[in-house]
Amino acid sequence: MATRSLALILGAAAVAAVIAWGYAQDEPTAEAPPAAALGRAEGFSLMGAAPSPLRSLGPALARSVADVDHALFVEGSLRDASLDGDWGVDGQGRLQPSLALRRRFDQLLTTLGEVNLDELSSWLLDRTLRDVGPTASAEIMAVWARYITLQEQRYTTEARLDDPQTWTQALAERQRARREILGPAWAEAFYREEEDALRRQAERAGPAGSSGRAAEPTWLHPDPQLSADELHQRRVARYGAEAAERLRAEDEAEARWQARLAQAREQVRALQQAPHLSEPQRQEAVEGWITSHFDAHEQLRVRVLLGL
């Protein structure tokens, strides 16, 4: 996809994804079943209790702004892409709270792993100074710092897909954190859309505190009992045309990724079992195959998923 907006869909996301790279989690207790992963399309924004370890992602480097720009926009995941959203600066050069700025932040955060947080922040400072000037740049960087703090916030309530009561409980905890960290105006601008969507979902699923009533189907994922067209129409009815198109695009991207991953798994297994290769040669062959079939942004994810 040319852009990587996470405001509605996390290929969760997003968050999406950034997603298969793992989150720092405590050991689960016997009384706490695992929470289902939920996407922003229906109002859930990374509703798990554990924060994303943003400061630990990416290479331990301190590259120049020019090198970071080249790594992302020439060789990396943002090549041939335009930035999502905008800086949220009005005609008088004043920064205004807007969802557009969060979309830009979210897109940039998908690059962690290719670059580290310090490198990304330096790039962002340089870009905003050039685009909007020092006053608005300083304001944007202050919001960025608070947004990073929010992404690393730890929560005690997890939202479970099969328990609508936990949705409102998790939302209430996150609303408090968002308003405390971002401030009311920025929290409203960044999250009102998905918070409203979550409330609508909870209302459709049943009143808070009800029991014995299963949540309605959400159709977030492909359903083998439905054709692609039927699934799309149900998504349009539930989420609207824009979100349905994003979900369809995510389905197609995920199908392509799974096909590539299956091919990689088969090829790696064959190389690891090749009788004519020594163990060092097998390792070298596996690494060579991965680096020739996946870009730098994907290679870490592939190695983790294949247990390499």
Side-chain angles (χ1 to χ4, degrees):
M1 299 172 62
T3 59
R4 297 171 180 270
S5 173
L6 298 181
L8 294 176
I9 297 296
L10 181 59
V15 173
V18 75
I19 285 175
W21 303 341
Y23 291 93
Q25 297 184 1
D26 293 333
E27 287 298 320
T29 63
E31 294 77 23
L38 303 170
R40 285 183 181 164
E42 50 179 3
F44 294 89
S45 178
L46 298 181
M47 295 293 272
S52 175
L54 301 185
R55 300 177 196 276
S56 66
L57 294 175
L61 301 174
R63 289 170 289 188
S64 68
V65 169
D67 287 342
V68 170
D69 193 81
H70 184 85
L72 294 181
F73 292 91
V74 178
E75 296 182 346
S77 59
L78 297 183
R79 61 186 180 275
D80 301 323
S82 57
L83 288 176
D84 285 352
D86 58 50
W87 296 125
V89 176
D90 65 18
Q92 287 71 47
R94 295 172 299 197
L95 181 64
Q96 302 294 329
S98 67
L99 179 58
L101 183 60
R102 181 191 167 199
R103 285 176 172 157
R104 183 155 293 187
F105 284 173
D106 283 340
Q107 182 194 32
L108 293 173
L109 287 175
T110 66
T111 68
L112 290 178
E114 299 172 84
V115 297
N116 63 41
L117 185 59
D118 288 340
E119 291 176 322
L120 186 60
S121 297
S122 295
W123 179 91
L124 180 61
L125 174 60
D126 180 81
R127 182 63 177 263
T128 55
L129 283 170
R130 289 190 288 114
D131 286 357
V132 298
T135 300
S137 172
E139 294 174 337
I140 290 171
M141 295 307 297
V143 178
W144 169 258
R146 297 200 297 271
Y147 193 58
I148 296 301
T149 299
L150 181 63
Q151 303 315 303
E152 297 182 322
Q153 174 72 15
R154 180 171 291 277
Y155 301 106
T156 60
T157 307
E158 295 183 355
R160 290 181 52 81
L161 189 61
D162 59 351
D163 186 358
Q165 183 177 359
T166 65
W167 304 356
T168 53
Q169 293 170 347
L171 175 60
E173 183 182 15
R174 284 149 182 78
Q175 283 181 311
R176 288 192 297 271
R178 291 164 181 170
R179 280 146 184 79
E180 289 173 1
I181 296 172
L182 296 175
W186 282 101
E188 180 77 3
F190 277 16
Y191 290 101
R192 179 182 60 197
E193 180 179 321
E194 66 180 63
E195 288 174 356
D196 289 346
L198 173 57
R199 279 189 284 268
R200 289 193 296 270
Q201 284 293 101
E203 289 171 0
R204 292 190 185 103
S210 64
S211 59
R213 178 178 178 178
E216 295 180 45
T218 58
W219 298 304
L220 281 179
H221 306 291
D223 186 336
Q225 298 180 345
L226 297 175
S227 69
D229 288 341
E230 289 172 328
L231 177 62
H232 180 70
Q233 291 305 316
R234 296 193 184 192
R235 286 170 168 174
V236 169
R238 172 61 64 86
Y239 307 120
E242 180 182 357
E245 285 297 334
R246 290 176 179 271
L247 283 168
R248 177 154 61 183
E250 290 294 333
D251 288 348
E252 293 171 352
E254 178 64 16
R256 290 192 297 270
W257 169 257
Q258 291 299 332
R260 294 175 65 202
L261 187 63
Q263 180 188 20
R265 183 177 289 108
E266 181 179 349
Q267 185 66 30
V268 167
R269 184 184 299 114
L271 290 171
Q272 289 175 334
Q273 297 174 354
H276 62 286
L277 298 177
S278 66
E279 185 59 29
Q281 288 173 328
R282 291 170 184 166
Q283 294 177 4
E284 183 178 355
V286 167
E287 284 299 309
W289 194 91
I290 289 176
T291 56
S292 66
H293 288 78
F294 296 93
D295 63 33
H297 187 61
E298 299 168 328
Q299 287 169 24
L300 176 60
R301 186 181 179 193
V302 170
R303 291 187 181 98
V304 170
L305 292 175
L306 298 184
L308 300 175

